[in-house]
Amino acid sequence: MDGGAGGAASQETTAASGGATVGVRIHHTRRLPDFLQSVNLKYVKLGYHYLISNLLTLCLVPLMVIIIVEASQMNPNDVRQLWLHLQYNLVSVIICSAFLVFGSTVYIMTRPRPVYLVDYSCYRPPDSLKAPYDRFMKHSRLQGDFDESSLEFQRKILERSGLGDETYVPEAMHFIPPRPSMQAAREEAEQVMFGALDNLFANTNVKPKEIGVLVVNCSLFNPTPSLSAMIVNKYKLRGNIRSFNLGGMGCSAGVIAVDLAKDMLQVHRNTYAVVVSMENITQNWYFGNKKSMLIPNCLFRVGGAAILLSNKAGDRRRAKYKLVHVVRTHKGADDKAFRCVYQEQDDAGKTGVSLSKDLMAIAGGALKTNITTLGPLVLPISEQLLFFATLVIKKLFNKNVKPYIPDFKLAFDHFCIHAGGRAVIDELEKNLQLLPVHVEASRMTLHRFGNTSSSSIWYELAYIEAKGRMRRGHKVWQIAFGSGFKCNSAVWEALRNVKPSRNAPWHDCIDRYPVKVVS
């Protein structure tokens, strides 16, 4: 219902101005900017700043390895000679010992604690909530809220959206007329959150009382008491739990929630953190005829995910992944970026989320900034040297030289691009020079579950696991974007050959995928 989806759905976003035929033109006129045209050096420097901040660790670890290797090669006579030498060089011994103690202490005190992803669970709604294309259009017509132009516009969007016939809408939308209410919205939230959490606790054998940190993100539904309080009440979580409720932060809030949980796990030792990512549709369905506000109706669907994170050393053996990097980009200081996805009322007083015609360009700028910052942290040195060489040539000699866009396929084995809509998946595949297999998880998640907002990247990860493609040591790049305008990335490393968990969302349909999506 908000930013991330809007950006991904942007092949339809200019439809606000042109009636039913506009939907045909959008795919050709609104695209991500070509990343080859410009790369801002300051974001490259920012990435290297993150890298150099860990320089002490990078220097100490090889030094300690060299000392251990050299020591292991010494024979008894070498040890005796060393002892005799040290007896007559007491000052040197004290200085060296002090240096080693100081260096080791600094390293131990400053190194970040590893954050492990023990397991996660994606909510699978009941079949009764499925909304096939024909039923969706039939209900839209019978509601009586949409004129013929709006109905035709929705039909064209659905045809080009990349969604299949098995996506889900909340129960309140299955009635004619629909029954959106606070109670129905609470029921949708409970079904999604508790469904995902019940499965997560069952799969991990973690008791709710063991959870020390809880982070919930939902952009458009923020009741009182909060969604996080609903979870605390349901599972009787302990009284000193650190709970957070993130609202209005868009489809990229799932990565923000992981980043917040990671920071909390750096402070609080030996504990678990649970992240719940979802969106709520019931009270945020648009019943007007403004084209740019109708797109979320066609793309957003019911879904959510619960993720269990841990900083316990003992959990490494059973964890699926280790968190490697989180890089966040926020363009909210720019007025156009701030308003490109905006919740407001139309001329008839009906509330919805309006999508700006500049959305794709703004999304492209945020993505470019994010990946330029991420590059120095993840790319092999050979790619970085080529990248910097072209930047220097462009800056000093030839302004017309296109910056070298590194091959991110050398840094990552799998890509989870937010399944907000077809247009951005297409453009990222092109701009990052990805192969069809790299965007398969995103396309199939969009087809099977629709745009589930901040949880879509977890359905995509579940798809990769269900296909048996995740091997030990593989790196996964989750990238999401949302209102504000924000683009956020999380990088995970697989700690073992990962198999899907029990009751995974693809367990009974993975053999039918991939499917061919009609253009």
Side-chain angles (χ1 to χ4, degrees):
M1 286 291 169
D2 78 287
S10 48
Q11 67 191 55
E12 300 91 7
T13 54
T14 54
S17 61
T21 60
V22 177
V24 181
R25 300 197 306 267
I26 293 168
H27 180 71
H28 301 289
T29 58
R30 300 296 174 194
R31 309 180 71 175
L32 284 177
D34 189 348
F35 293 167
L36 288 171
Q37 296 303 316
S38 64
V39 175
N40 198 322
L41 187 59
K42 70 178 181 180
Y43 300 119
V44 180
K45 291 178 180 177
L46 182 60
Y48 273 94
H49 169 73
Y50 294 154
L51 186 65
I52 295 302
S53 64
N54 294 313
L55 186 61
L56 182 63
T57 301
L58 296 174
C59 293
L60 279 178
V61 171
L63 180 62
M64 294 176 68
V65 170
I66 291 172
I67 292 173
I68 293 171
V69 171
E70 290 294 329
S72 66
Q73 296 176 350
M74 296 176 67
N75 56 45
N77 187 53
D78 292 331
V79 174
R80 182 173 176 277
Q81 291 296 324
L82 179 62
W83 173 252
L84 292 174
H85 177 73
L86 293 177
Q87 282 182 316
Y88 298 101
N89 293 273
L90 187 58
V91 175
S92 301
V93 172
I94 293 174
I95 293 174
C96 290
S97 299
F99 175 78
L100 288 173
V101 170
F102 176 76
S104 300
T105 303
V106 171
Y107 171 71
I108 292 171
M109 295 293 290
T110 60
R111 68 169 182 169
R113 293 188 179 92
V115 173
Y116 303 111
L117 193 163
V118 179
D119 205 350
Y120 63 97
S121 174
C122 297
Y123 174 65
R124 173 82 174 264
D127 289 347
S128 60
L129 298 185
K130 285 183 178 179
Y133 168 85
D134 291 338
R135 185 188 302 171
F136 181 97
M137 289 306 304
K138 178 182 178 181
H139 279 224
S140 293
R141 185 174 296 277
L142 291 174
Q143 286 172 24
D145 294 297
F146 308 113
D147 58 30
E148 285 301 321
S149 175
S150 295
L151 290 168
E152 178 64 11
F153 177 77
Q154 291 182 73
R155 184 187 68 79
K156 289 181 179 294
I157 293 216
L158 285 170
E159 286 179 351
R160 295 162 173 78
S161 65
L163 273 69
D165 272 345
E166 296 186 276
T167 61
Y168 308 88
V169 298
E171 185 175 358
M173 296 300 109
H174 285 272
F175 292 98
I176 301 176
R179 301 177 183 175
S181 65
M182 173 61 78
Q183 180 59 31
R186 284 184 182 275
E187 290 174 359
E188 180 192 348
E190 290 172 353
Q191 290 168 3
V192 174
M193 294 190 304
F194 301 160
L197 284 167
D198 286 346
N199 192 49
L200 180 68
F201 290 140
N203 287 345
T204 59
N205 294 318
V206 171
K207 296 180 175 60
K209 289 286 187 182
E210 297 179 71
I211 305 303
V213 178
L214 173 65
V215 185
V216 181
N217 71 270
C218 181
S219 191
L220 291 178
F221 182 59
N222 292 286
T224 300
S226 66
L227 296 173
S228 59
M230 289 167 62
I231 293 174
V232 172
N233 178 259
K234 163 72 175 179
Y235 294 99
K236 309 305 177 189
L237 303 184
R238 62 198 200 197
N240 65 343
I241 191 168
R242 280 82 178 177
S243 65
F244 303 87
N245 203 91
L246 306 181
M249 301 196 76
C251 297
S252 66
V255 178
I256 296 173
V258 167
D259 191 35
L260 175 57
K262 177 204 72 174
D263 289 344
M264 296 301 295
L265 290 175
Q266 297 303 312
V267 178
H268 303 284
R269 295 176 177 271
N270 201 39
T271 191
Y272 288 111
V274 166
V275 172
V276 179
S277 294
M278 59 169 290
E279 191 51 86
N280 192 284
I281 301 174
T282 297
Q283 282 192 309
N284 296 290
W285 203 265
Y286 177 62
F287 294 100
N289 290 289
K290 187 175 180 179
K291 303 296 192 299
S292 63
M293 299 170 76
L294 279 169
I295 297 167
N297 288 9
C298 300
L299 296 179
F300 273 92
R301 296 294 183 262
V302 174
I307 303 96
L308 179 66
L309 303 174
S310 172
N311 59 10
K312 300 181 180 182
D315 279 326
R316 180 184 175 90
R317 292 191 300 273
R318 66 167 181 155
K320 287 185 172 184
Y321 305 95
K322 181 176 74 172
L323 182 61
V324 182
H325 298 293
V326 176
V327 174
R328 292 167 56 180
T329 300
H330 203 309
K331 293 289 188 178
D334 178 78
D335 290 341
K336 281 189 176 181
F338 176 73
R339 294 191 64 91
C340 72
V341 180
Y342 206 77
Q343 188 179 22
E344 60 184 356
Q345 291 182 322
D346 64 13
D347 295 337
K350 296 182 178 179
T351 302
V353 176
S354 178
L355 307 179
S356 164
K357 64 181 181 181
D358 301 316
L359 188 95
M360 281 299 273
I362 291 166
L367 287 165
K368 183 173 63 179
T369 300
N370 190 268
I371 65 175
T372 306
T373 304
L374 180 67
L377 302 176
V378 298
L379 289 166
I381 191 65
S382 58
E383 287 295 290
Q384 296 190 45
L385 288 175
L386 284 171
F387 180 60
F388 270 100
T390 55
L391 274 183
V392 170
I393 293 171
K394 176 181 176 66
K395 194 170 185 68
L396 298 180
F397 303 107
N398 187 350
K399 298 290 185 183
N400 296 322
V401 173
K402 291 183 178 180
Y404 173 74
I405 297 301
D407 185 357
F408 280 90
K409 297 189 295 295
L410 298 175
F412 302 110
D413 302 282
H414 307 284
F415 297 79
C416 295
I417 301 165
H418 167 54
R422 221 166 128 186
V424 165
I425 298 175
D426 290 344
E427 291 300 315
L428 276 177
E429 179 182 10
K430 172 188 170 185
N431 274 295
L432 296 180
Q433 300 173 4
L434 303 179
L435 301 174
V437 69
H438 293 134
V439 295
E440 182 182 311
S442 299
R443 292 192 192 283
M444 296 307 104
T445 295
L446 182 64
H447 183 274
R448 176 62 183 84
F449 295 99
N451 181 348
T452 60
S453 190
S454 55
S455 66
S456 69
I457 53 178
W458 298 105
Y459 287 89
E460 294 163 18
L461 189 59
Y463 179 90
I464 296 168
E465 292 177 4
K467 281 294 183 181
R469 297 172 182 171
M470 191 64 70
R471 294 288 181 262
R472 180 175 181 172
H474 279 190
K475 295 272 181 63
V476 187
W477 181 13
Q478 291 180 322
I479 185 165
F481 38 92
S483 59
F485 193 86
K486 299 180 289 292
C487 178
N488 301 310
S489 293
V491 179
W492 304 87
E493 180 181 354
L495 297 176
R496 52 188 169 90
N497 295 345
V498 182
K499 296 180 180 179
S501 303
R502 286 175 296 175
N503 299 318
W506 300 89
H507 70 93
D508 63 346
C509 61
I510 191 63
D511 292 337
R512 293 191 273 122
Y513 288 88
V515 298
K516 182 177 176 58
V517 179
V518 179
S519 300

